[in-house]
């Protein structure tokens, strides 16, 4: 389980402890961080120190926190009863990538029901980016971040693990069909990796291939499969879904929106040669 700490303490431990003891330090706080990320963190601390930031403003941060069961990771998080401050660290990046990550972070953190302030610090250029409420990305001054940190009344009585409910993020194509069709969801990092592997396999092979998605209940297999179908449709491909059961209301809505879905008892009515992808759910 992750534990909060002062960011400067992490840097001091890195500088003063042996490699073995530093690994123990990271394990104690539940931190998984690479050497390059620590140096990006050091650059951030140097930047805030350069404008007179008090040490308390860097206290009680969760470093490399991951949402349980989901695996979504945040570089730096700090909580109060009214707000959450998120800071992502980059050596270098594009504004497009920075915005994409912060919008995603905002999505995951919004379920807690507190004001979210999402930043990205780029160490190579010493630039700080801030995501506004309208999802517009802007460059901002380090003083903006320091003011928020200094005014945030940090709480320590609750664990962030209790704030996140994994089921909030597992959008169902059936129970949240409108939300699914509007793409108001995100795949986990693992789901995205699997999706990319599958799509690359489908698009690179000239022969018929068979792929099986396996996982325990509630891990998002159906969302992943239907997201792949949506991707194929957006790229002018023709997918067919064969559902091994009775079609539900979500299926009906999808069909009304141009999806081709059939219960398994009538799959014989379809010529598979006319489709680029067959999904058996």
């Amino acid at each position: 389980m992750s534990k909060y700490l002062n960011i400067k303490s992490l840097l001091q431990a890195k500088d003063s402890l042996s490699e073995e003891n530093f690994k123990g330090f990271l394990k104690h706080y539940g931190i998984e961080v690479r050497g390059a990320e620590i140096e990006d963190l050091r650059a951030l601390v140097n930047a805030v120190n350069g404008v007179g930031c008090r040490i308390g403003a860097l206290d009680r941060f969760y470093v490399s926190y991951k949402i349980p069961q989901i695996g979504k990771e945040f570089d730096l998080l700090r909580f109060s009863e009214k707000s959450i401050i998120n800071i992502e660290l980059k050596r270098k990046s594009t504004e497009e990538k920075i915005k994409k990550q912060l919008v995603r972070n905002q999505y995951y953190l919004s379920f807690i029901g507190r004001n979210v302030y999402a930043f990205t610090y780029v160490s190579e250029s010493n630039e700080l980016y801030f995501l506004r409420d309208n999802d517009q990305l802007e460059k901002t001054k380090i003083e903006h971040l320091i003011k928020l940190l200094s005014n945030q009344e940090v709480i320590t009585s609750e664990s962030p693990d209790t704030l996140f409910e994994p089921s909030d993020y597992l959008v169902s194509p059936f129970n949240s069909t409108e939300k699914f069709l509007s793409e108001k969801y995100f795949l986990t990092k693992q789901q995205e990796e699997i999706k990319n592997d599958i799509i690359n396999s489908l698009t690179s092979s000239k022969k018929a291939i068979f792929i099986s998605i396996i996982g325990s209940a509630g891990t998002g297999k159906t969302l992943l499969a239907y997201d792949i179908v949506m991707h194929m449709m957006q790229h002018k491909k023709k997918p067919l879904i064969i559902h091994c059961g009775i079609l539900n209301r979500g299926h009906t809505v999808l069909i009304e929106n141009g999806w081709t879905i059939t219960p398994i008892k009538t799959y014989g009515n379809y010529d598979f040669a006319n489709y680029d992808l067959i999904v058996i759910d």
Side-chain angles (χ1 to χ4, degrees), residues 183-226:
E183 298 185 69
K184 295 180 178 179
Y185 66 92
F186 290 102
L187 300 180
T188 66
K189 182 178 180 181
Q190 183 184 33
Q191 286 174 320
E192 283 191 339
E193 291 173 350
I194 295 171
K195 173 185 174 179
N196 291 335
D197 287 343
I198 290 175
I199 290 175
N200 288 338
S201 297
L202 293 174
T203 56
S204 62
S205 176
K206 295 182 179 180
K207 299 180 180 179
I209 60 172
F210 297 86
I211 299 171
S212 177
I213 300 176
I214 301 172
S216 56
T219 54
K221 299 184 299 297
T222 299
L223 175 61
L224 174 59
Y226 279 64

Side-chain angles (χ1 to χ4, degrees), residues 240-254:
L240 167 66
I241 297 176
I242 301 173
H243 183 70
C244 297
I246 300 173
L247 300 190
N248 56 45
R249 172 58 184 162
H251 285 124
T252 302
V253 174
L254 291 172

Side-chain angles (χ1 to χ4, degrees), residues 258-271:
W259 290 54
T260 306
I261 306 173
T262 181
I264 194 168
K265 65 180 180 180
T266 57
Y267 80 93
N269 296 338
Y270 295 82
D271 183 354

Side-chain angles (χ1 to χ4, degrees), residues 133-147:
D133 292 338
N134 58 0
D135 287 349
Q136 292 302 307
L137 187 71
E138 64 177 30
K139 287 184 181 179
T140 189
K141 295 182 178 181
I142 201 74
E143 289 85 353
H144 177 199
L145 172 60
I146 292 174
K147 183 177 180 180

Side-chain angles (χ1 to χ4, degrees), residues 107-125:
Y107 168 80
Y108 281 100
L109 294 171
S110 66
F111 286 89
I112 297 177
R114 303 175 189 179
N115 293 326
V116 178
Y117 302 99
F119 295 85
T120 293
Y121 176 72
V122 183
S123 63
E124 191 173 89
S125 59

Side-chain angles (χ1 to χ4, degrees), residues 4 12 14 20 27 68 79 103 112 114 117 120 133 150 156 161 192 198 220 224 230-231 236 243 259 281:
Y4 62 79
Q12 290 168 356
K14 171 63 175 176
E20 187 70 21
K27 183 177 181 181
F79 300 87
V103 167
I112 297 177
R114 303 175 189 179
Y117 302 99
T120 293
D133 292 338
S150 300
T156 59
D161 288 0
E192 283 191 339
I198 290 175
L224 174 59
M230 182 183 292
H231 175 91
K236 311 302 181 183
H243 183 70
W259 290 54
D281 182 12

Side-chain angles (χ1 to χ4, degrees), residues 1-5 27-31 61-63 65:
M1 184 177 70
S2 295
K3 300 177 182 179
Y4 62 79
L5 81 169
K27 183 177 181 181
H28 172 76
Y29 284 98
I31 297 173
F61 268 95
Y62 291 89
V63 180
Y65 176 79

